[in-house]
Amino acid sequence: EAGVTQFPSHSVIEKGQTVTLRCDPISGHDNLYWYRRVMGKEIKFLLHFVKESKQDESGMPNNRFLAERTGGTYSTLKVQPAELEDSGVYFCASSQRGQGGNNEQFFGPGTRLTVL
Amino acid sequence: AQTVTQSQPEMSVQEAETVTLSCTYDTSESDYYLFWYKQPPSRQMILVIRQEAYKQQNATENRFSVNFQKAAKSFSLKISDSQLGDAAMYFCAYSGQFGAGNMLTFGGGTRLMVKP
């Protein structure tokens, strides 16, 4: 069974440009999460999808970030326009249906975003 | 809001020895889940062990065990018979039982080095 995949693995862009990150969850997983780790800090929650619906986007830093999950399958996270402080590693995770706290979240390898 | 603290940014252990990684957390909830995730260099984060707060018995997975002290809000990870493959970043994480979509709240991580 394929795990969570993310694309690209690394992106380097100029300040003011747009970048779109993609996450493909494990097939059949209704829950999809985005997290971010800024250099030297904790991994922080960004948002949570249940199928195609945004369940919780309380962690989104500002309106320059837009997340979508088409048809409840893969998800994209767009940053427009990118700022220097957006640099970090963006992780995606998925888990099976249901919202029990014991649902294991499976993580992707992350996308390292560098904004110059 | 819940917080998770890992006070040891780096730890080292001799191969075959035992090491304990510390984690404390703060929450007002009575029922929740605690996790230890491992991220090897350039690889995906994987779940090592999970503890349900309502269970008094400490979780164990092969060479990995936890010391869960609910009153003290402490959740340490013990790795016995350390192996070179245990070298990784270890993240302690918290998830509530209800609400917030069971997002994970992470500590800052501990980098574990294993010396041959």
Side-chain angles (χ1 to χ4, degrees), chain A residues 4 33 35 37 42-43 45 48 55-56 91 99-105 107-109, chain B residues 33 35 37 39 44-45 47 50 89 91 95-97 100-104 106-108:
Chain A
V4 178
Y33 304 82
Y35 295 87
R37 187 182 192 203
E42 294 89 355
I43 300 170
F45 166 80
H48 169 216
Q55 181 77 10
D56 180 357
F91 293 101
Q99 294 189 31
N102 60 349
N103 272 355
E104 179 180 349
Q105 293 186 25
F107 281 79
Chain B
Y33 296 85
F35 307 84
Y37 277 88
Q39 186 179 25
Q44 287 162 259
M45 201 154 37
L47 179 64
R50 166 175 44 211
M89 280 293 290
F91 294 98
S95 174
Q97 170 67 342
N102 305 117
M103 59 179 242
L104 293 171
F106 286 91

Side-chain angles (χ1 to χ4, degrees), chain A residues 32-110:
Chain A
L32 188 149
Y33 304 82
W34 282 98
Y35 295 87
R36 174 174 78 169
R37 187 182 192 203
V38 173
M39 185 63 68
K41 298 193 174 181
E42 294 89 355
I43 300 170
K44 294 283 193 184
F45 166 80
L46 295 178
L47 86 159
H48 169 216
F49 284 98
V50 177
K51 297 185 180 180
E52 67 276 7
S53 300
K54 291 177 185 175
Q55 181 77 10
D56 180 357
E57 52 185 330
S58 61
M60 295 287 263
N62 51 61
N63 59 10
R64 295 185 294 103
F65 289 75
L66 175 64
E68 295 180 326
R69 188 177 183 192
T70 306
T73 56
Y74 70 91
S75 175
T76 58
L77 180 65
K78 182 192 292 188
V79 185
Q80 179 183 30
E83 298 289 344
L84 298 179
E85 63 265 24
D86 299 333
S87 295
V89 181
Y90 290 75
F91 293 101
C92 175
S94 71
S95 69
Q96 293 180 335
R97 62 176 57 87
Q99 294 189 31
N102 60 349
N103 272 355
E104 179 180 349
Q105 293 186 25
F106 295 84
F107 281 79

